[in-house]
Amino acid sequence: MFAAISLFVLLSLPHPAIPDTPQKSFDAIAREADAARQADHLSNALKLYSDAVRLRPSWADGWWWLGSILYDQDRFSEAQAPFKRFIALSPKPAPAYAFLALCEYETQDYAQALHHFELWSNARSPGTGALLDVAGFHWALLLTRAGRFNEAFLLLAAKAKQRGATPVLTEAMGLASLRMAFLPEDYPPERRESVWLAGMAAVYNAQSEFRLSDAYAERLFSHYGQEPDVHYFHGILLRFQGSEDSAAEEFQKELQISPRHAPALTEWAASRLETGHNSEALTLARRALEIDPQSARAHYILGRALLETGSFHESAQELETAKRLAPESSRIRFALSNVYKRLGRKQDSEREQAAFLALKGKGNVLAPLDDKLMAPRATERPQ
Amino acid sequence: MISPKTVVLLACSWAIAISFFTGLPSAAFAQQKPAATSSHTSPNFAALSEAAEKANEENRNDDAIRLYRQALNVQPDWKQGLWFLGLLLYEKEQYAEVRDLMRRFVAVEPLAGPGWALLGLSEFQTREYPRSLEHLQHTRSIGLGEQQEMSDALFYHVSVLLTRFEQYDAAMALLMGMRKSGSSPDLLVEPIGLSALRYPLLPSEIPPARKEMFRMAGEAALADEANRRDEAEKLFSTMATEFPNEPGVHFLFGVFLLNVRPNDGIKEIQRELEIVPYNLTAKIRLADEYLKEEKFDDALRLANEVVQLDPQNASGFMVLGETLVAKDDLDRGIAALETSRELRPETVRTHWDLLRAYTSAGRAKDAKREKEEIEQILHPVAPQ
């Protein structure tokens, strides 16, 4: 499904028209190039497009087709330069960012790939559904590799809901679920079974097929219950199913195996907060922050716990820290709006409420990718 | 034991010794220069390419690699250079570079099966498994030409990848086909064990503590295939005793026993469902057995459970439909069979079921269409 995008996808992308030009030789070559491409004579088309852009380097269309054909032939290192030229020349290059990122992924330039996926996302003009599928999937893989497991998980879960347990999606979800900062092609082979089992449990969980999810989770625990992150993952699954007490037990088990597991402490705190055990949540969130002071989620949970226990000034401080660390999180803005209201800071509260509404469903990759990319900016007026 | 790597290298060494170029659709292109670049051919290229070929023939591999690289810098689409450099680098386990060379090679020579094969094998080594399977399957579809010595490596890698992508039945068919063609059982036993127990792992990904379980499953399946029933039963039984709580074990033993002592087979599959209550494949197989024994209510209960748990399960709808038809509930039976057909149109058994059901329902036109579908699947007409 995600292995490649065929040329017909590329053909359907918007591109600028061939500019009117007095250079006959250029026109002739461009026409021949288009004809060769349309006749599927791709080697010839490649040569002709190369000749054409050499004659006229400002021909964005030529760079686009050059990059597209090379991409379609899996010649990723060669495809990058044409896509970069297209991006530089085109007023609306958004899909090209995704193709460039995909090429950079294949040539293992992961930092640049992540950067270009983010530019693609911010440009909010994603291209075809097939591109959304492929690019969104690879973006999630890179988020996992970068240790941004929650964001990756949310992107993948949205796809799992649509597509079910395909093998590649299952593997990607398994890596994110077990907090393994690897790509599918470079994680330790001996962990394959645990990744598969976690992935199956996660996919079925995303589809609310909890019996099937539990069946795979049980298989995971029976062989890998003593490995780090497995009980944490189980806790997350149980929280998703609304079993907060059982989830809390799983987070405790994780902490017996991995005593400095800040996410387990944070989620345990969140779970206790959810069930009204606010002072316990305070203690746990503070322990999480001792281990990981840069965790936006731990600051957020602590801020909410402080809000619940009436410590409004401290709550505001924690939530402001959380906002600084994760400026696009709508949840943090919502909580901030509440605490400002309690503090009588009406103007601040209204500002945060407006930010919450603007970010809700659109914030960074925390929103399902399709929604985010399709949605207009908060400042844009729909046509 | 012959390792998969050895199989590949044997195939490639052979291919180095005997150029496959003469067998390619664009015949004798070893002598030909790419049309797109022939006008740019320089004396430098001619000298470099000749020196590279000479070094290759004389087994001076490091020199050959250096010279092929230099020649390809001058003429990037030089097919012979791409191919031989790829082979030399494959032997040196430089898989990422071979992959990139083969991508260029198949771009200029898209009908060269061995090129696609070497591409897929390299991608297997770089662990780009989805792409590897796609390219190796493409090789199967276009053929290897005269390079049949590569077929063992091709089929082996396709089959282990099919297992990893949860296409167990297709993998098993290929592996058993390899055995019949004379492939070493040592090479096949673990892949067969994985496929039989339905674990989407490569042999290299088997957890060490359960390696013996997969070996026993593989050996038992091979014994069963060779009609050595007693040996197979002994192996299956030992496996079930030594790994009594592992998913798949009792199912596999049960399926074997269904053909020997059906009651014992049913017990084993029921044991499987105690261990893995949502093993849908086991539920379907058990439902199928109940249907054979005309225990329609039991079959119906299991088949219904399957399609409720997995509404995309074609086999579940097929057995459900067959059971309903057997209970004379033709309308609902046909509806279930039609769902199964929609989910997996290539399954002949569903078309036969529908043919009989439509006939019983007096729907002659629909029955005729099913008959044509069966013909089409069994005897496909090659595209013009």
Side-chain angles (χ1 to χ4, degrees), chain A residues 231-294:
Chain A
H231 286 287
Y232 168 76
F233 169 58
H234 194 197
I236 296 291
L237 290 181
L238 290 165
R239 285 210 71 207
F240 194 86
Q241 297 174 22
S243 304
E244 295 290 356
D245 288 342
S246 302
E249 284 173 22
E250 288 300 313
F251 295 131
Q252 288 176 71
K253 284 181 192 166
E254 180 63 52
L255 288 160
Q256 285 166 7
I257 294 165
S258 326
R260 291 182 60 77
H261 201 294
L265 280 164
T266 305
E267 292 310 316
W268 186 7
S271 177
R272 300 318 277 161
L273 187 62
E274 199 67 37
T275 50
H277 297 84
N278 299 328
S279 59
E280 210 180 322
L282 274 178
T283 309
L284 292 165
R286 283 190 170 124
R287 277 177 61 194
L289 284 167
E290 280 170 19
I291 298 165
D292 182 6
Q294 297 302 305

Side-chain angles (χ1 to χ4, degrees), chain A residues 133-147:
Chain A
D133 254 358
V134 178
F137 175 74
H138 284 83
W139 188 13
L141 296 182
L142 289 177
L143 289 168
T144 299
R145 184 179 178 274

Side-chain angles (χ1 to χ4, degrees), chain B residues 37-109:
Chain B
T37 49
S38 57
S39 59
H40 304 301
T41 301
S42 65
N44 189 26
F45 171 75
L48 283 168
S49 58
E50 198 174 313
E53 283 163 9
K54 190 164 187 293
N56 191 19
E57 281 162 19
E58 292 170 0
N59 293 323
R60 290 183 287 111
N61 291 353
D62 289 342
D63 288 343
I65 287 169
R66 180 176 48 79
L67 290 161
Y68 276 125
R69 279 183 175 141
Q70 287 174 6
L72 284 164
N73 279 339
V74 181
Q75 195 157 304
D77 286 350
W78 180 39
K79 297 171 195 175
Q80 192 174 2
L82 289 166
W83 171 252
F84 281 112
L85 181 56
L87 285 179
L88 289 166
L89 290 172
Y90 194 94
E91 280 208 271
K92 290 191 173 294
E93 302 185 4
Q94 303 289 314
Y95 302 117
E97 195 178 346
V98 181
R99 175 200 61 199
D100 293 342
L101 287 165
M102 287 305 106
R103 283 175 180 163
R104 287 162 56 188
F105 178 75
V106 298
V108 291
E109 195 65 27

Side-chain angles (χ1 to χ4, degrees), chain A residues 120-379:
Chain A
W120 169 60
S121 158
N122 291 336
R124 292 169 198 269
S125 174
T128 62
L131 180 60
L132 261 174
D133 254 358
V134 178
F137 175 74
H138 284 83
W139 188 13
L141 296 182
L142 289 177
L143 289 168
T144 299
R145 184 179 178 274
R148 292 163 65 180
F149 304 112
N150 290 347
E151 294 161 82
F153 193 86
L154 286 171
L155 273 179
L156 295 167
K159 294 197 178 298
K161 275 183 198 166
Q162 296 166 3
R163 298 193 176 278
T166 66
V168 287
L169 191 53
T170 300
E171 189 168 41
M173 285 200 84
L175 289 170
S177 299
L178 295 177
R179 301 173 55 78
M180 290 171 62
F182 289 99
L183 297 172
E185 46 269 32
D186 65 11
Y187 71 90
E190 63 271 19
R191 299 199 66 183
R192 162 66 184 161
E193 187 186 27
S194 60
V195 167
W196 166 60
L197 292 169
M200 292 297 279
V203 167
Y204 283 124
N205 202 65
Q207 294 181 306
S208 302
E209 293 283 357
F210 298 132
R211 288 177 298 180
L212 288 171
S213 173
D214 289 347
Y216 282 99
E218 283 304 321
R219 287 177 68 176
L220 176 69
F221 309 138
S222 72
H223 286 297
Y224 303 99
Q226 291 307 307
E227 292 198 357
D229 292 306
V230 170
H231 286 287
Y232 168 76
F233 169 58
H234 194 197
I236 296 291
L237 290 181
L238 290 165
R239 285 210 71 207
F240 194 86
Q241 297 174 22
S243 304
E244 295 290 356
D245 288 342
S246 302
E249 284 173 22
E250 288 300 313
F251 295 131
Q252 288 176 71
K253 284 181 192 166
E254 180 63 52
L255 288 160
Q256 285 166 7
I257 294 165
S258 326
R260 291 182 60 77
H261 201 294
L265 280 164
T266 305
E267 292 310 316
W268 186 7
S271 177
R272 300 318 277 161
L273 187 62
E274 199 67 37
T275 50
H277 297 84
N278 299 328
S279 59
E280 210 180 322
L282 274 178
T283 309
L284 292 165
R286 283 190 170 124
R287 277 177 61 194
L289 284 167
E290 280 170 19
I291 298 165
D292 182 6
Q294 297 302 305
S295 165
R297 181 151 172 83
H299 283 288
Y300 164 69
I301 297 296
L302 179 56
R304 277 190 54 205
L306 288 162
L307 177 64
E308 293 297 327
T309 52
S311 303
F312 301 134
H313 284 288
E314 273 185 272
S315 171
Q317 282 175 2
E318 290 301 328
L319 291 170
E320 281 161 4
T321 306
K323 174 184 160 181
R324 182 172 51 75
L325 292 167
E328 293 205 47
S329 164
S330 60
R331 288 179 178 194
I332 294 170
R333 301 304 187 87
F334 183 77
L336 255 181
S337 170
N338 279 345
V339 75
Y340 286 148
K341 201 172 174 181
R342 299 288 186 93
L343 287 167
R345 293 165 58 177
K346 191 181 171 205
Q347 210 175 348
D348 289 337
S349 176
E350 285 173 359
R351 185 194 64 230
E352 293 306 323
Q353 177 69 13
F356 160 68
L357 291 172
L359 288 168
K360 188 181 171 191
K362 305 187 188 80
N364 203 2
V365 295
L366 289 170
L369 185 66
D370 298 10
D371 294 348
K372 185 192 172 198
L373 287 167
M374 295 302 183
R377 285 178 192 279
T379 52

Side-chain angles (χ1 to χ4, degrees), chain A residues 22-50:
Chain A
Q23 293 179 39
K24 193 177 176 186
S25 59
F26 165 79
D27 282 346
I29 294 170
R31 270 197 303 274
E32 278 181 46
D34 285 342
R37 170 175 52 80
Q38 283 156 8
D40 214 23
H41 299 150
L42 298 184
S43 290
N44 199 25
L46 272 181
K47 183 187 176 301
L48 289 163
Y49 281 121
S50 298

Side-chain angles (χ1 to χ4, degrees), chain B residues 234-252:
Chain B
K234 201 172 167 188
L235 282 161
F236 279 130
S237 176
T238 308
M239 177 182 71
T241 306
E242 290 186 14
F243 299 93
N245 298 315
E246 291 301 329
V249 165
H250 294 279
F251 172 64
L252 186 57

